[in-house]
Amino acid sequence: MSENKTRDAGFDEWLDAAEEGEAYYLECANGHGSLPPRRVCPDCGATDLETVDLPDSGTIETFTVTHVPTPAFEEDAPYATAVADFGPVRITGQVVGADLETVENGLEVEIEVTVSETTGERVLGFSPV
Ligand SMILES: [Zn+2]
């Protein structure tokens, strides 16, 4: 399926899992979390990473609203891009299924893989729980 797209292969697999409701993260022996396609812990350099189920929901830690996007996302604007805290990992995604006025720090969200209206490519999204 995505064999000839090696660039983001690890992340594509992760999106597949997330779409099935089986999102996961990678944890090293020291308990640091990271996301594919990493193969090395960004905090301590450990290479022995275990796959652990991601918590079902996280909370928005910070977000920005884009009204004038780059051409690649022009059909999607305006939209909010948020960093959500899922405990061991922070994940960046596009907020979907919510009025922009209701997006705020501390909002509880779950991962929802969505498709960019502009490029037709899959995008990591967050929807309010
Ligand atoms: Zn580590």
Side-chain angles (χ1 to χ4, degrees), residues 26-34 40-49:
L26 304 174
E27 186 180 70
C28 77
N30 293 318
H32 303 136
S34 58
V40 177
C41 173
D43 289 309
C44 68
T47 53
D48 191 11
L49 304 180

Side-chain angles (χ1 to χ4, degrees), residues 60-129:
I60 289 182
E61 201 165 70
T62 178
F63 68 95
T64 53
V65 175
T66 301
H67 293 280
V68 184
T70 58
F73 286 99
E74 61 185 351
E75 301 295 330
D76 297 271
Y79 61 89
T81 303
V83 177
D85 182 350
F86 279 79
V89 285
R90 289 194 171 82
I91 300 177
T92 303
Q94 188 171 322
V95 180
V96 295
D99 286 337
L100 287 180
E101 297 78 43
T102 66
V103 178
E104 58 184 6
N105 293 346
L107 183 69
E108 196 176 356
V109 293
E110 59 189 7
I111 287 181
E112 182 174 326
V113 178
T114 182
V115 174
S116 163
E117 289 176 23
T118 310
T119 63
E121 293 198 1
R122 289 190 299 177
V123 177
L124 176 53
F126 298 132
S127 63
V129 173

